[in-house]
Coordinates of all heavy atoms in Angstrom, one line a residue:
P1 N -5.3 12.0 16.1 CA -3.9 12.2 15.6 C -3.3 10.8 15.4 O -3.6 9.8 16.0 CB -3.2 13.0 16.7 CG -4.0 12.9 17.9 CD -5.4 12.5 17.5
I2 N -2.4 10.8 14.4 CA -1.6 9.5 14.1 C -0.8 9.2 15.4 O -0.7 8.0 15.8 CB -0.7 9.7 12.9 CG1 -1.6 10.0 11.7 CG2 0.1 8.5 12.7 CD1 -0.8 10.4 10.4
A3 N -0.1 10.1 15.9 CA 0.8 10.0 17.1 C 1.0 11.3 17.7 O 0.7 12.4 17.1 CB 2.1 9.3 16.6
D4 N 1.6 11.4 18.9 CA 1.9 12.6 19.5 C 2.7 13.5 18.6 O 3.7 13.1 18.0 CB 2.6 12.4 20.8 CG 1.7 11.8 21.9 OD1 0.5 11.8 21.7 OD2 2.3 11.2 22.9
H5 N 2.4 14.8 18.5 CA 3.1 15.8 17.8 C 3.0 15.7 16.3 O 3.7 16.5 15.6 CB 4.6 15.9 18.3 CG 4.7 16.0 19.8 ND1 4.4 17.2 20.4 CD2 5.2 15.2 20.7 CE1 4.6 17.0 21.7 NE2 5.1 15.8 21.9
V6 N 2.3 14.8 15.7 CA 2.2 14.7 14.3 C 1.0 15.5 13.8 O -0.1 15.3 14.2 CB 1.9 13.2 13.8 CG1 1.7 13.1 12.3 CG2 3.1 12.3 14.2
K7 N 1.4 16.5 13.0 CA 0.3 17.4 12.5 C -0.2 16.9 11.2 O -1.4 16.9 11.0 CB 0.9 18.8 12.2 CG -0.1 19.8 11.7 CD 0.5 21.2 11.5 CE -0.6 22.1 11.0 NZ -0.1 23.4 10.7
S8 N 0.6 16.3 10.3 CA 0.1 15.7 9.1 C 1.1 14.7 8.6 O 2.3 14.8 8.8 CB -0.2 16.8 8.0 OG 1.1 17.3 7.5
F9 N 0.6 13.7 7.8 CA 1.4 12.7 7.2 C 0.7 12.5 5.8 O -0.4 12.2 5.7 CB 1.4 11.4 8.0 CG 2.0 10.2 7.3 CD1 3.4 10.1 7.3 CD2 1.2 9.3 6.7 CE1 4.0 9.0 6.6 CE2 1.8 8.2 6.1 CZ 3.2 8.1 6.0
T10 N 1.5 12.7 4.7 CA 0.9 12.6 3.4 C 1.8 11.8 2.5 O 3.1 11.8 2.7 CB 0.7 13.9 2.7 OG1 1.9 14.7 2.6 CG2 -0.4 14.8 3.5
L11 N 1.2 11.0 1.6 CA 1.9 10.3 0.6 C 1.4 10.7 -0.8 O 0.3 11.0 -1.0 CB 1.6 8.8 0.7 CG 2.0 8.1 2.1 CD1 1.5 6.7 2.1 CD2 3.5 8.1 2.2
Q12 N 2.4 10.8 -1.7 CA 2.0 11.1 -3.1 C 2.8 10.1 -4.0 O 3.9 9.7 -3.6 CB 2.4 12.5 -3.5 CG 1.6 13.6 -2.8 CD 2.0 15.0 -3.3 OE1 3.1 15.4 -3.2 NE2 1.0 15.7 -3.9
Y13 N 2.2 9.8 -5.1 CA 2.7 8.7 -6.0 C 3.0 9.3 -7.3 O 2.2 10.0 -7.9 CB 1.7 7.6 -6.1 CG 1.1 7.2 -4.7 CD1 0.0 7.8 -4.1 CD2 1.8 6.3 -4.0 CE1 -0.4 7.5 -2.9 CE2 1.4 5.9 -2.7 CZ 0.2 6.5 -2.2 OH -0.2 6.2 -0.9
L14 N 4.2 9.0 -7.9 CA 4.6 9.5 -9.2 C 4.2 8.5 -10.3 O 4.6 7.3 -10.3 CB 6.1 9.6 -9.2 CG 6.7 10.2 -10.5 CD1 6.1 11.6 -10.8 CD2 8.2 10.3 -10.5
D15 N 3.3 9.0 -11.1 CA 2.8 8.2 -12.2 C 3.8 8.3 -13.4 O 4.0 9.4 -13.9 CB 1.4 8.7 -12.7 CG 0.8 7.8 -13.7 OD1 1.5 7.1 -14.5 OD2 -0.5 7.7 -13.7
I16 N 4.4 7.2 -13.8 CA 5.5 7.3 -14.8 C 4.9 7.7 -16.2 O 5.6 8.3 -17.0 CB 6.3 6.0 -14.9 CG1 7.5 6.1 -15.7 CG2 5.4 4.9 -15.4 CD1 8.6 7.0 -15.1
K17 N 3.7 7.3 -16.5 CA 3.1 7.7 -17.8 C 2.8 9.2 -17.9 O 3.1 9.8 -18.9 CB 1.8 6.9 -18.0 CG 2.2 5.4 -18.3 CD 1.0 4.7 -18.9 CE 1.3 3.3 -19.3 NZ 0.3 2.6 -19.9
S18 N 2.3 9.8 -16.9 CA 1.9 11.2 -16.9 C 3.0 12.1 -16.3 O 3.0 13.3 -16.5 CB 0.6 11.5 -16.2 OG 0.8 11.3 -14.8
N19 N 4.0 11.5 -15.6 CA 5.0 12.2 -14.9 C 4.5 13.2 -13.9 O 5.0 14.3 -13.7 CB 6.0 12.8 -15.9 CG 7.4 13.1 -15.2 OD1 7.8 12.3 -14.4 ND2 8.0 14.2 -15.5
E20 N 3.3 12.9 -13.3 CA 2.7 13.8 -12.3 C 2.5 13.1 -11.0 O 2.4 11.8 -11.0 CB 1.3 14.2 -12.8 CG 1.3 15.0 -14.1 CD -0.1 15.4 -14.6 OE1 -1.0 14.8 -14.1 OE2 -0.2 16.3 -15.5
W21 N 2.6 13.9 -9.9 CA 2.4 13.3 -8.6 C 0.9 13.2 -8.4 O 0.1 14.1 -8.7 CB 3.0 14.2 -7.5 CG 4.5 14.2 -7.6 CD1 5.3 15.1 -8.1 CD2 5.3 13.2 -7.0 NE1 6.6 14.7 -7.9 CE2 6.6 13.5 -7.3 CE3 5.0 12.0 -6.3 CZ2 7.7 12.7 -6.8 CZ3 6.1 11.2 -5.9 CH2 7.4 11.6 -6.2
R22 N 0.4 12.1 -7.8 CA -1.0 11.8 -7.5 C -1.2 11.6 -6.0 O -0.3 11.1 -5.4 CB -1.5 10.6 -8.3 CG -1.3 10.6 -9.8 CD -1.8 9.4 -10.4 NE -3.2 9.0 -9.9 CZ -4.3 9.5 -10.5 NH1 -4.3 10.3 -11.5 NH2 -5.5 9.1 -10.0
S23 N -2.3 12.0 -5.5 CA -2.6 11.8 -4.1 C -3.1 10.4 -3.7 O -3.3 10.1 -2.6 CB -3.5 12.9 -3.6 OG -4.7 12.8 -4.2
D24 N -3.4 9.6 -4.8 CA -4.0 8.3 -4.5 C -3.3 7.4 -5.6 O -2.8 7.8 -6.6 CB -5.5 8.3 -4.6 CG -6.0 8.6 -6.0 OD1 -5.3 9.4 -6.7 OD2 -7.0 8.0 -6.4
W25 N -3.4 6.1 -5.3 CA -2.9 5.1 -6.2 C -3.6 3.8 -6.0 O -3.7 3.2 -4.9 CB -1.4 4.8 -6.0 CG -0.8 4.0 -7.2 CD1 -0.7 2.7 -7.3 CD2 -0.3 4.5 -8.4 NE1 -0.2 2.3 -8.5 CE2 0.1 3.5 -9.2 CE3 -0.1 5.8 -8.9 CZ2 0.6 3.6 -10.4 CZ3 0.4 6.0 -10.1 CH2 0.8 4.9 -10.9
D26 N -4.2 3.2 -7.1 CA -4.9 1.9 -7.0 C -4.4 1.1 -8.2 O -4.8 1.4 -9.3 CB -6.4 2.2 -7.1 CG -7.1 0.9 -7.0 OD1 -6.5 -0.2 -7.0 OD2 -8.4 0.9 -6.9
S27 N -3.5 0.1 -8.0 CA -3.0 -0.7 -9.1 C -4.0 -1.5 -9.8 O -3.7 -2.1 -10.8 CB -1.8 -1.5 -8.5 OG -0.8 -0.7 -8.2
K28 N -5.2 -1.6 -9.2 CA -6.3 -2.4 -9.8 C -7.2 -1.5 -10.7 O -8.0 -2.0 -11.5 CB -7.2 -3.0 -8.8 CG -6.4 -4.1 -8.0 CD -7.4 -4.8 -7.0 CE -6.6 -5.9 -6.3 NZ -7.5 -6.6 -5.3
D29 N -6.9 -0.1 -10.6 CA -7.7 0.8 -11.5 C -7.3 0.6 -12.9 O -6.1 0.4 -13.2 CB -7.3 2.2 -11.0 CG -8.1 3.3 -11.8 OD1 -7.8 3.5 -13.0 OD2 -9.0 3.9 -11.2
A30 N -8.2 0.7 -13.8 CA -8.0 0.4 -15.3 C -6.9 1.3 -15.8 O -6.2 0.9 -16.7 CB -9.3 0.6 -16.0
T31 N -6.8 2.6 -15.4 CA -5.8 3.5 -15.9 C -4.4 3.2 -15.4 O -3.4 3.6 -16.0 CB -6.1 5.0 -15.6 OG1 -6.1 5.1 -14.1 CG2 -7.4 5.4 -16.1
R32 N -4.2 2.4 -14.4 CA -2.9 2.0 -13.8 C -2.8 0.5 -13.6 O -2.1 0.1 -12.8 CB -2.7 2.8 -12.5 CG -2.5 4.2 -12.7 CD -2.3 4.9 -11.4 NE -3.4 4.9 -10.5 CZ -4.5 5.7 -10.6 NH1 -4.6 6.5 -11.5 NH2 -5.5 5.6 -9.7
L33 N -3.6 -0.2 -14.4 CA -3.7 -1.7 -14.2 C -2.3 -2.3 -14.1 O -1.5 -2.2 -15.0 CB -4.5 -2.3 -15.3 CG -4.9 -3.8 -15.2 CD1 -5.7 -3.9 -13.9 CD2 -5.6 -4.3 -16.4
A34 N -2.1 -3.0 -13.0 CA -0.9 -3.8 -12.8 C 0.4 -3.0 -12.8 O 1.4 -3.5 -13.2 CB -0.8 -5.0 -13.8
R35 N 0.3 -1.7 -12.5 CA 1.5 -0.9 -12.4 C 1.6 -0.4 -11.0 O 0.7 -0.2 -10.2 CB 1.4 0.3 -13.3 CG 1.5 0.0 -14.8 CD 1.6 1.2 -15.7 NE 0.4 2.1 -15.5 CZ 0.5 3.4 -15.2 NH1 1.6 4.0 -15.0 NH2 -0.6 4.1 -15.2
V36 N 2.9 -0.1 -10.6 CA 3.2 0.5 -9.3 C 3.7 1.9 -9.6 O 4.2 2.1 -10.7 CB 4.2 -0.3 -8.5 CG1 3.5 -1.6 -8.1 CG2 5.5 -0.5 -9.2
P37 N 3.7 2.8 -8.7 CA 4.2 4.1 -9.0 C 5.7 4.1 -9.1 O 6.4 3.2 -8.6 CB 3.8 5.0 -7.8 CG 3.6 4.0 -6.7 CD 3.1 2.7 -7.4
R38 N 6.3 5.0 -9.8 CA 7.7 5.1 -10.0 C 8.4 5.5 -8.7 O 9.5 5.1 -8.4 CB 8.1 6.1 -11.2 CG 9.5 6.4 -11.3 CD 10.3 5.1 -11.9 NE 11.7 5.4 -12.0 CZ 12.6 4.9 -11.2 NH1 12.3 4.3 -10.1 NH2 13.9 5.2 -11.4
A39 N 7.7 6.4 -7.9 CA 8.3 6.8 -6.7 C 7.2 7.2 -5.7 O 6.0 7.4 -6.2 CB 9.2 8.0 -6.9
V40 N 7.5 7.3 -4.5 CA 6.5 7.7 -3.4 C 7.2 8.9 -2.7 O 8.3 8.8 -2.2 CB 6.2 6.6 -2.5 CG1 5.2 7.1 -1.4 CG2 5.6 5.4 -3.2
K41 N 6.4 10.0 -2.6 CA 6.9 11.2 -1.8 C 6.2 11.1 -0.5 O 5.0 10.9 -0.3 CB 6.5 12.5 -2.5 CG 7.0 13.7 -1.8 CD 6.4 15.0 -2.4 CE 6.8 15.2 -3.9 NZ 6.3 16.4 -4.4
I42 N 7.0 11.1 0.6 CA 6.6 11.0 1.9 C 6.8 12.4 2.6 O 7.9 12.9 2.6 CB 7.3 9.9 2.7 CG1 7.2 8.6 1.9 CG2 6.8 9.8 4.1 CD1 8.3 7.6 2.3
Q43 N 5.7 12.9 3.2 CA 5.8 14.2 3.8 C 5.2 14.1 5.3 O 4.2 13.5 5.5 CB 5.1 15.3 3.1 CG 5.7 15.5 1.7 CD 4.9 16.4 0.8 OE1 3.7 16.2 0.6 NE2 5.5 17.5 0.4
L44 N 6.0 14.7 6.2 CA 5.6 14.6 7.6 C 5.8 16.0 8.2 O 6.8 16.6 8.0 CB 6.5 13.6 8.3 CG 6.3 13.3 9.8 CD1 4.9 12.7 10.1 CD2 7.4 12.4 10.3
E45 N 4.7 16.4 8.9 CA 4.8 17.7 9.7 C 4.6 17.3 11.2 O 3.6 16.7 11.5 CB 3.7 18.6 9.2 CG 3.9 19.1 7.8 CD 2.9 20.2 7.4 OE1 1.9 20.4 8.1 OE2 3.1 20.8 6.4
L46 N 5.5 17.8 12.0 CA 5.5 17.6 13.4 C 5.4 18.9 14.2 O 6.0 19.9 13.8 CB 6.8 16.9 13.9 CG 7.1 15.5 13.2 CD1 8.4 15.0 13.7 CD2 6.0 14.5 13.5
L47 N 4.6 18.9 15.2 CA 4.6 20.1 16.1 C 5.8 20.0 17.0 O 6.1 19.0 17.6 CB 3.3 20.0 17.0 CG 2.0 20.1 16.2 CD1 0.8 19.9 17.1 CD2 1.9 21.4 15.4
D48 N 6.6 21.1 17.0 CA 7.8 21.1 17.9 C 7.4 21.0 19.3 O 6.6 21.8 19.8 CB 8.5 22.5 17.6 CG 9.8 22.6 18.3 OD1 10.0 21.9 19.3 OD2 10.6 23.4 17.8
P49 N 7.8 20.0 20.0 CA 7.4 19.8 21.4 C 7.9 20.9 22.3 O 7.3 21.1 23.4 CB 8.1 18.5 21.8 CG 9.1 18.2 20.8 CD 8.7 18.9 19.6
N50 N 8.9 21.7 21.9 CA 9.4 22.8 22.7 C 8.8 24.1 22.3 O 9.0 25.1 23.0 CB 10.9 22.9 22.6 CG 11.6 21.6 23.1 OD1 11.2 21.1 24.1 ND2 12.5 21.1 22.3
D51 N 8.1 24.2 21.2 CA 7.4 25.4 20.7 C 6.2 25.0 19.9 O 6.3 24.7 18.7 CB 8.4 26.2 19.9 CG 7.8 27.5 19.3 OD1 6.7 27.8 19.6 OD2 8.6 28.2 18.6
K52 N 5.0 25.0 20.5 CA 3.8 24.5 19.8 C 3.4 25.3 18.6 O 2.7 24.9 17.8 CB 2.6 24.5 20.8 CG 2.8 23.6 22.0 CD 2.7 22.2 21.5 CE 2.8 21.2 22.7 NZ 2.9 19.9 22.3
D53 N 4.0 26.6 18.5 CA 3.7 27.4 17.3 C 4.6 27.0 16.1 O 4.4 27.5 15.0 CB 3.8 28.9 17.6 CG 2.8 29.3 18.6 OD1 1.6 28.8 18.6 OD2 3.1 30.2 19.5
N54 N 5.6 26.2 16.3 CA 6.6 25.9 15.3 C 6.2 24.5 14.7 O 6.0 23.6 15.5 CB 8.0 25.9 15.9 CG 9.0 25.7 14.8 OD1 8.9 26.2 13.7 ND2 10.1 25.1 15.2
V55 N 6.2 24.4 13.4 CA 6.0 23.1 12.7 C 7.2 22.7 12.0 O 7.8 23.5 11.2 CB 4.8 23.3 11.7 CG1 4.6 22.0 11.0 CG2 3.5 23.7 12.4
L56 N 7.7 21.5 12.3 CA 8.9 20.9 11.7 C 8.4 20.1 10.5 O 7.5 19.2 10.6 CB 9.6 20.0 12.7 CG 10.0 20.7 14.0 CD1 10.5 19.6 15.0 CD2 11.0 21.8 13.8
K57 N 9.0 20.4 9.3 CA 8.5 19.7 8.1 C 9.7 18.8 7.5 O 10.8 19.3 7.4 CB 8.1 20.7 7.0 CG 7.0 21.6 7.4 CD 6.6 22.6 6.4 CE 5.4 23.4 6.8 NZ 4.9 24.4 5.8
F58 N 9.3 17.6 7.2 CA 10.2 16.6 6.7 C 9.6 16.0 5.4 O 8.4 15.8 5.3 CB 10.5 15.5 7.7 CG 11.0 16.0 9.0 CD1 10.2 16.3 10.0 CD2 12.4 16.1 9.2 CE1 10.6 16.7 11.2 CE2 12.9 16.6 10.4 CZ 12.0 16.9 11.4
S59 N 10.5 15.8 4.4 CA 10.0 15.3 3.1 C 11.1 14.5 2.5 O 12.3 14.8 2.6 CB 9.6 16.4 2.2 OG 9.1 15.9 1.0
T60 N 10.7 13.3 1.9 CA 11.7 12.5 1.2 C 11.0 11.8 0.0 O 9.7 11.7 0.0 CB 12.4 11.5 2.1 OG1 13.5 10.9 1.4 CG2 11.4 10.4 2.5
I61 N 11.7 11.3 -0.9 CA 11.2 10.6 -2.1 C 11.9 9.2 -2.1 O 13.1 9.1 -2.1 CB 11.4 11.3 -3.4 CG1 10.6 12.7 -3.4 CG2 11.0 10.5 -4.6 CD1 10.9 13.5 -4.6
A62 N 11.0 8.2 -2.1 CA 11.5 6.8 -2.2 C 11.2 6.3 -3.6 O 10.1 6.3 -4.0 CB 10.9 6.0 -1.1
L63 N 12.3 5.8 -4.3 CA 12.1 5.2 -5.6 C 11.5 3.8 -5.4 O 12.0 3.1 -4.5 CB 13.4 5.2 -6.4 CG 14.0 6.5 -6.8 CD1 15.3 6.3 -7.5 CD2 13.0 7.3 -7.6
V64 N 10.6 3.4 -6.3 CA 10.1 2.1 -6.2 C 10.8 1.2 -7.3 O 10.6 1.5 -8.5 CB 8.5 2.1 -6.5 CG1 8.0 0.7 -6.5 CG2 7.8 3.0 -5.4
Q65 N 11.6 0.3 -6.9 CA 12.4 -0.5 -7.8 C 11.6 -1.4 -8.7 O 12.1 -1.8 -9.7 CB 13.4 -1.3 -7.0 CG 14.4 -0.4 -6.2 CD 15.2 0.6 -7.1 OE1 15.6 0.2 -8.2 NE2 15.3 1.8 -6.7
L66 N 10.4 -1.8 -8.4 CA 9.6 -2.7 -9.2 C 8.8 -2.0 -10.2 O 8.0 -2.6 -10.9 CB 8.6 -3.4 -8.2 CG 9.3 -4.3 -7.2 CD1 8.2 -4.9 -6.3 CD2 10.0 -5.5 -7.9
W67 N 8.9 -0.7 -10.5 CA 8.0 0.1 -11.3 C 8.0 -0.4 -12.8 O 7.0 -0.2 -13.5 CB 8.4 1.6 -11.3 CG 9.7 1.9 -12.0 CD1 10.9 1.9 -11.4 CD2 9.8 2.4 -13.3 NE1 11.8 2.3 -12.3 CE2 11.2 2.6 -13.5 CE3 8.9 2.6 -14.3 CZ2 11.7 3.1 -14.7 CZ3 9.4 3.1 -15.5 CH2 10.8 3.3 -15.7
Q68 N 9.1 -1.1 -13.2 CA 9.1 -1.6 -14.6 C 8.5 -3.0 -14.8 O 8.2 -3.4 -15.9 CB 10.5 -1.6 -15.2 CG 11.1 -0.2 -15.3 CD 12.5 -0.2 -15.9 OE1 13.3 -1.1 -15.6 NE2 12.8 0.8 -16.7
M69 N 8.2 -3.6 -13.7 CA 7.7 -5.0 -13.7 C 6.2 -5.0 -13.5 O 5.7 -4.4 -12.6 CB 8.4 -5.8 -12.7 CG 9.9 -5.9 -12.8 SD 10.7 -6.7 -11.4 CE 9.7 -8.1 -11.1
P70 N 5.4 -5.7 -14.4 CA 4.0 -5.8 -14.1 C 3.7 -6.6 -12.9 O 4.5 -7.5 -12.5 CB 3.5 -6.5 -15.4 CG 4.6 -7.2 -16.0 CD 5.9 -6.4 -15.6
I71 N 2.7 -6.3 -12.2 CA 2.3 -7.1 -11.0 C 1.0 -7.9 -11.3 O 0.2 -7.5 -12.1 CB 2.2 -6.2 -9.8 CG1 1.1 -5.1 -10.0 CG2 3.5 -5.6 -9.4 CD1 0.9 -4.2 -8.8
E72 N 0.9 -9.0 -10.6 CA -0.3 -9.8 -10.7 C -1.0 -9.8 -9.4 O -0.5 -9.9 -8.3 CB 0.1 -11.2 -11.1 CG 0.8 -11.3 -12.5 CD 1.2 -12.7 -12.9 OE1 0.5 -13.6 -12.4 OE2 2.1 -12.9 -13.7
F73 N -2.4 -9.8 -9.5 CA -3.2 -9.9 -8.3 C -3.9 -11.3 -8.3 O -4.3 -11.8 -9.2 CB -4.3 -8.8 -8.4 CG -3.7 -7.4 -8.2 CD1 -3.5 -6.7 -9.4 CD2 -3.3 -7.0 -7.0 CE1 -2.9 -5.4 -9.2 CE2 -2.8 -5.7 -6.9 CZ -2.6 -4.9 -8.0

């Protein structure tokens, strides 16, 4: 486990060209060369410490402010 009570932790990346969420991102990949995602979706599932059968779900989207600027490696 990542930490106590963490059931899952996932990241998804918004591709500005396809407007689709992706489960992986590689800015060195030819299809996304020198680009960063427009946004990152962060999802966290925690086991309720008071009720092991209950799963607490949290989700947020973080905008990536550099998405319009090319990056160099």
Side-chain angles (χ1 to χ4, degrees):
I2 298 172
D4 290 344
H5 306 292
V6 175
K7 182 177 179 182
S8 71
F9 173 78
T10 58
L11 299 173
Q12 291 182 302
Y13 311 91
L14 183 59
D15 188 331
I16 193 67
K17 287 192 175 185
S18 66
N19 202 36
E20 294 178 349
W21 289 102
R22 302 181 49 88
S23 61
D24 65 328
W25 191 272
D26 182 355
S27 293
K28 293 182 181 181
D29 183 288
T31 62
R32 291 178 296 281
L33 189 61
R35 290 190 297 125
V36 296
R38 174 67 182 102
V40 178
K41 185 187 298 183
I42 305 161
Q43 296 172 303
L44 180 65
E45 291 185 350
L46 301 175
L47 299 173
D48 186 337
N50 300 315
D51 179 1
K52 295 291 184 189
D53 295 326
N54 188 33
V55 176
L56 306 170
K57 297 180 181 183
F58 302 92
S59 181
T60 192
I61 296 174
L63 296 177
V64 178
Q65 298 299 320
L66 297 173
W67 72 274
Q68 293 181 324
M69 299 170 47
I71 56 176
E72 296 181 23
F73 293 100

